[in-house]
Amino acid sequence: MIENIKQVHEEVKVRISEVTNLEQLEEFRLEFLVKKGKIQEFFGQLKELPNEQKREVGKELNILSKFTENEYNQLKQNLEEKAYTVSDLDLTLPGIKYNLGSEHPVRQTINQMIEIFKKMGFSVAEGPEAEDEYHNFDALNFPPNHPARDMQDTFFLENKFDKVVLRTHTSPVQIRLMENVKPPIRAIMPGRVYRNETLDSTHLAEFHQIEGLYIDKNVTMAELKATMMHFARVMYGDDIEFRFRASFFPFTEPSAELDIRTKHSNKWMEIVGCGMVHPNVLRAGGIDPEEYTGYAFGFGVERITMAKTQLDDIRKLYENDIRVLSQF
Ligand code: PHE
């Protein structure tokens, strides 16, 4: 009987090595591992043997039985894994979605505007958000009693030495630039500004501006106008209408505001305040107004973003609602 067991052992080895799919494996199981299979048959015969032989034959039979089961189980696992990856892979199932972060719409506008002005030869400069009153007001030709300095508009910071404010606009960076760079100067200055405003659908107490300054010999208002129009056309498309309105800023003379109207909207929208740099401002920056002239402009970035995205409420930009932000 030992001989027969050993023979079946050899047979199992050969047969298992020939199995290549689950169907063949099932045939293998039916032949060797079921109740009426070859191995159980030996166990039946074992009972009939005289006691002195049982030990030795039983040992051999156990080896065969364990070996066959192990081989079977292992091959079954391998074949099932393979079968899964090949035939049960459903390429039409929806995939796993990973949400990537994205640039905030206001940052997108800033970057887009920087690109447009860079192509026109402007460089980028920055200044402090906590600014002294001299740079925020005095050097920009604000008279000492100008209402914009009032507590209602300006956040004052406590400081022992001089009066420091949260800058109410990016124009003080004009002065800092003139103090540090000799003309020609051609730069834009993006940044955060602060005003003590009541919040509503068009006003925030903290927002962004992009300031522009161009100083050289013989700079004219015609160049300012052309630059503003070129910017607006790149930003909003060629078929927009323009309206330059006379305006007032202490630091520019003459001053203007530019409104645009796009094809889709019938509302005029103010996009920028601008003008020719006031001689007092050039002087405050150490530049001779007899030799140089220049223009300056200041965009409200949130307003530009609202027009671009057709958002109707400026506050929506800062509520961090993914349903709003993920649209842009
Ligand atoms: N600083 C002005 C504002 O905050 C905008 C401006 C900048 C106007 C430069 C003219 C020139 O409203």
Side-chain angles (χ1 to χ4, degrees), residues 9 12 16 25 28-29 32-34 39-40 43 61-77:
H9 198 119
V12 166
I16 200 89
L25 187 66
F28 174 87
R29 187 182 73 88
F32 295 99
L33 288 170
V34 290
I39 291 170
Q40 281 305 317
F43 278 106
L61 191 50
N62 273 333
I63 292 174
L64 169 65
S65 164
K66 285 245 168 67
F67 173 77
T68 311
E69 267 174 43
N70 278 346
E71 290 290 299
Y72 170 82
N73 287 334
Q74 207 173 343
L75 191 57
K76 186 169 183 235
Q77 202 186 331

Side-chain angles (χ1 to χ4, degrees), residues 140 142 168-172 174 193 195 207 209-212 248-249 251-252 255-257 270 272-277 295-300:
L140 288 165
F142 280 79
T168 56
H169 51 176
T170 42
S171 301
Q174 287 187 36
V193 301
R195 281 183 205 173
F207 55 102
Q209 288 187 335
I210 293 189
E211 191 82 9
F248 175 81
F249 301 102
F251 35 92
T252 48
S255 304
E257 278 168 294
E270 181 196 319
V272 66
C274 57
M276 301 306 290
V277 180
Y295 63 69
F297 53 84
F299 287 94

Side-chain angles (χ1 to χ4, degrees), residues 241-308:
E241 294 173 86
F242 295 95
R243 190 168 73 179
F244 277 92
R245 279 181 292 109
S247 184
F248 175 81
F249 301 102
F251 35 92
T252 48
E253 182 61 35
S255 304
E257 278 168 294
L258 172 60
D259 302 336
I260 62 155
R261 188 160 68 175
T262 61
K263 266 266 163 70
H264 326 285
S265 87
N266 43 20
K267 263 209 322 224
W268 285 101
M269 183 181 64
E270 181 196 319
I271 64 162
V272 66
C274 57
M276 301 306 290
V277 180
H278 196 289
N280 288 350
V281 174
L282 290 171
R283 256 181 240 117
I287 292 169
D288 180 1
E290 300 300 325
E291 196 181 352
Y292 290 100
T293 54
Y295 63 69
F297 53 84
F299 287 94
V301 180
E302 279 78 1
R303 295 270 175 93
I304 302 245
T305 308
M306 281 171 75
K308 222 175 57 166

